[in-house]
Amino acid sequence: MRTRLLRSYPSNFCVDGIPAGKECATPGRSADICLLEISLTELALKKGKTAVIVGAQWGDEGKGKIVDVLSENFSVVARYAGGHNAGHTVIINGKKFVLQLVPCGVLRAGCRSVIGNGVVLDPIAFLKEAGALRENGVKIDGNLFVSNRAHVILPYHRMIELAAENAPGRVKIGTTSRGIGPAYEDKMGRRGLRVADLLDLQLLKKHIENAVREKNMIAHALFNTEPLDADKMYTEYAQAAEKIAPFVCDTAVLLNQALNQGEAILFEGAQGTMLDIDHGTYPFVTSSSATSGGAVIGTGVAPNAINSVIGISKAYCTRVGEGPFPSEDKGDAGDNLRKRGNEYGAVTGRPRRTGWLDLPLLRYSGMINGTNWLVITKLDVLDELAEIPVCVGYKIDGKATSDVPAQASGYDKIECVYQKRSGWRTSTEGITDYEKLPKAARDYLAFVEKEAGAKVGMISTGPDRDHTILVDEFVSELKTAAKKA
């Protein structure tokens, strides 16, 4: 079966490995403009491979470290959702990096990092983060790219969110109050400002004047908030636009070009499955698509380009903010998990709620994401426990159920069914060989693997990049899938 590519390409674009300007399959015509006949089979063989990293719980699973470790095998790391409400912590040789917008691949030499169109970008926060990375010796210029289609967070988004979150009678979601939700609202309402618009100063000025007039009226009427100054805002963001411009491009073209040239891409998720706007514990969720499907709409690659989904789960469970948490432990055991796991938000510093691994939730997450592999993080946090409770099922009104409720109120009726697993009472911190784990720890991982329905391919035994166990089969498949051109 044969087809023709009818798209035009930029001058530096390669089509099926033929550089622009060179002769293509049709004699006498350049790859820039020709209708290149190409075998679909050949195209499939030459395309690069991809993997999606997704949080399998309520976020904070340690995705930053995992992306950093795995990015060694990938040419590109692309962030596809969320904003600077995400906090990915990476520790390299004892040095700590907290990334909020910039993908963790930026910490790997030779790896390009992309902020996709599904992300909402706070220009001031981005420039601050980029500046801090430069000061720490990280090479970002020429390695970091921002989508021209990403939407922009402006001060009135923060004003609206902060006022709404604290308004009397409102359901408190527990947001970071950084303007993420209102920015997505404007995006879906088709009144948002995109990065491409940010760089168009005439359009930027007009947009800010109109939006500030409207937002000031709304905020004053609903929340009695002090008005924002449109002229001051324009001056600040026009200056920011000039500094951001070198990073901006059509990242969908960049990513698809990389795939067509056989490069491997790792998609970096933010938050977690149970915070997804559609599939999470609504309304106690984030404002974007945090599941693996978000990688497609948030970057501009095709659905059939996704080869593997890697779900990240702690060996226990945590949640930040309000909302359902069936396996939460509000007692001393939960406090101990928080202390040993240093469970405080990387962005906000808020103490996380803690509890036990929830297998029904993990199975639900696996179904939604199509999880191929599981990565278990913070195994070492359980080292001191003689017994480890695990939620193996739910009961509602005394009857067993496997359903995850659609309504947040439905979780109030859930009773967790726990099974206690033997602890190992010895340190696993820093272990890098699976066989050196205590037998009880290996039994715990095997139990999770069997019940979750996905193989455990990687275990994190500490905060540092090197505190990692990689299972041979996972490494073999990853190297095959992520082989660089």
Side-chain angles (χ1 to χ4, degrees):
M1 180 179 179
R2 302 181 73 81
T3 187
R4 290 176 181 267
L5 298 182
L6 302 178
R7 276 187 303 188
S8 61
Y9 292 88
S11 59
N12 63 346
F13 202 94
C14 291
V15 182
D16 193 33
I18 304 172
K22 300 293 184 181
E23 291 300 310
C24 69
T26 306
R29 306 182 74 180
S30 72
D32 297 29
I33 58 173
C34 76
L35 300 178
L36 177 64
E37 291 194 344
I38 180 171
S39 163
L40 290 178
T41 303
E42 290 170 357
L43 181 63
L45 288 173
K46 292 187 177 182
K47 275 202 170 185
K49 301 296 183 179
T50 65
V52 181
I53 298 288
V54 65
Q57 298 168 311
W58 277 286
D60 306 309
E61 300 94 349
K63 295 182 292 297
K65 172 188 169 175
I66 305 308
V67 171
D68 171 63
V69 172
L70 297 183
S71 63
E72 183 178 12
N73 296 303
F74 289 82
S75 303
V76 185
V77 175
R79 169 88 179 271
Y80 61 83
H84 63 308
N85 55 342
H88 291 173
T89 303
V90 179
I91 299 176
I92 304 171
N93 298 324
K95 191 172 185 179
K96 184 177 180 180
F97 297 86
V98 178
L99 303 174
Q100 297 177 17
L101 273 167
V102 178
C104 298
V106 76
L107 301 175
R108 286 280 183 188
C111 185
R112 287 169 290 165
S113 291
V114 170
I115 296 175
N117 57 275
V119 175
V120 285
L121 185 92
D122 184 319
I124 308 304
F126 170 78
L127 291 172
K128 182 180 178 181
E129 189 172 330
L133 286 167
R134 277 200 195 98
E135 288 175 8
N136 279 285
V138 179
K139 187 179 184 300
I140 60 171
D141 300 297
N143 288 328
L144 176 60
F145 304 88
V146 175
S147 171
N148 55 7
R149 289 173 169 81
H151 277 249
V152 176
I153 298 172
L154 290 161
Y156 51 75
H157 292 128
R158 293 192 293 274
M159 173 184 71
I160 293 287
E161 184 167 43
L162 185 62
E165 183 76 354
N166 293 295
R170 292 291 185 102
V171 175
K172 195 172 181 66
I173 304 297
T175 74
T176 58
S177 297
R178 299 195 170 196
I180 312 295
Y184 277 115
E185 284 183 46
D186 278 356
K187 174 180 179 175
M188 295 306 175
R190 295 165 294 179
R191 55 182 177 269
L193 183 84
R194 302 200 293 181
V195 170
D197 306 324
L198 179 73
L199 305 185
D200 182 338
L201 296 187
Q202 187 175 354
L203 190 155
L204 174 65
K205 185 174 180 63
K206 184 177 180 181
H207 180 94
I208 286 177
E209 287 173 350
N210 292 337
V212 167
R213 188 183 307 113
E214 176 187 316
K215 304 296 185 183
N216 278 342
M217 290 175 62
I218 293 170
H220 180 74
L222 294 180
F223 313 117
N224 198 30
T225 302
E226 290 297 314
L228 294 171
D229 186 326
D231 291 335
K232 182 180 178 182
M233 189 186 303
Y234 168 73
T235 300
E236 182 181 14
Y237 281 80
Q239 291 172 354
E242 184 179 355
K243 296 176 183 177
I244 286 174
F247 297 99
V248 178
C249 70
D250 188 333
T251 55
V253 170
L254 185 154
L255 292 169
N256 281 285
Q257 177 178 347
L259 285 175
N260 285 336
Q261 293 176 338
E263 296 186 65
I265 299 175
L266 188 63
F267 295 101
E268 177 182 330
Q271 287 85 42
T273 301
M274 301 310 295
L275 293 177
D276 182 86
I277 186 66
D278 289 298
H279 303 290
T281 50
Y282 190 89
F284 302 97
V285 292
T286 192
S287 302
S288 58
S289 297
T291 52
S292 60
V296 172
I297 60 173
T299 62
V301 301
N304 60 1
I306 305 300
N307 298 110
S308 181
V309 177
I310 303 167
I312 318 298
S313 170
K314 283 177 180 166
Y316 50 101
C317 203
T318 64
R319 173 164 199 167
V320 171
E322 306 298 322
F325 186 175
S327 63
E328 183 174 13
D329 191 321
K330 297 181 180 180
D332 292 342
D335 289 338
N336 185 53
L337 286 175
R338 186 178 301 106
K339 290 173 186 174
R340 281 191 54 80
N342 191 28
E343 295 296 354
Y344 299 90
V347 172
T348 63
R350 289 184 294 179
R352 296 173 183 141
R353 298 156 63 189
T354 54
W356 307 107
L357 190 64
D358 187 331
L359 290 173
L361 181 148
L362 206 53
R363 287 190 286 267
Y364 173 79
S365 171
M367 176 188 73
I368 295 296
N369 291 302
T371 305
N372 304 102
W373 290 94
L374 276 176
V375 174
I376 303 298
T377 63
K378 293 199 169 184
L379 183 70
D380 55 300
V381 174
L382 304 180
D383 284 350
E384 294 182 353
L385 299 176
E387 290 184 324
I388 305 166
V390 179
C391 174
V392 296
Y394 295 153
K395 283 185 178 180
I396 295 180
D397 297 329
K399 296 180 180 179
T401 180
S402 58
D403 294 342
V404 172
Q407 290 182 291
S409 59
Y411 285 87
D412 296 337
K413 301 175 183 178
I414 284 179
E415 174 191 350
C416 284
V417 178
Y418 287 101
Q419 185 178 124
K420 291 189 176 180
R421 308 294 300 181
S422 296
W424 39 93
R425 304 298 296 274
T426 187
S427 177
T428 62
E429 185 173 0
I431 290 178
T432 58
D433 184 343
Y434 184 82
E435 294 304 322
K436 290 183 179 179
L437 287 173
K439 183 179 183 302
R442 297 198 305 270
D443 290 344
Y444 183 79
L445 293 167
F447 174 73
V448 171
E449 181 177 271
K450 178 176 178 291
E451 293 295 318
K455 294 180 181 179
V456 174
M458 184 174 172
I459 304 108
S460 174
T461 57
D464 202 271
R465 175 187 273 178
D466 296 328
H467 296 168
T468 307
I469 298 170
L470 289 160
V471 176
D472 289 343
E473 186 182 350
F474 178 62
V475 172
S476 176
E477 182 173 315
L478 197 66
K479 284 186 176 180
T480 300
K483 186 177 180 182
K484 294 182 181 179

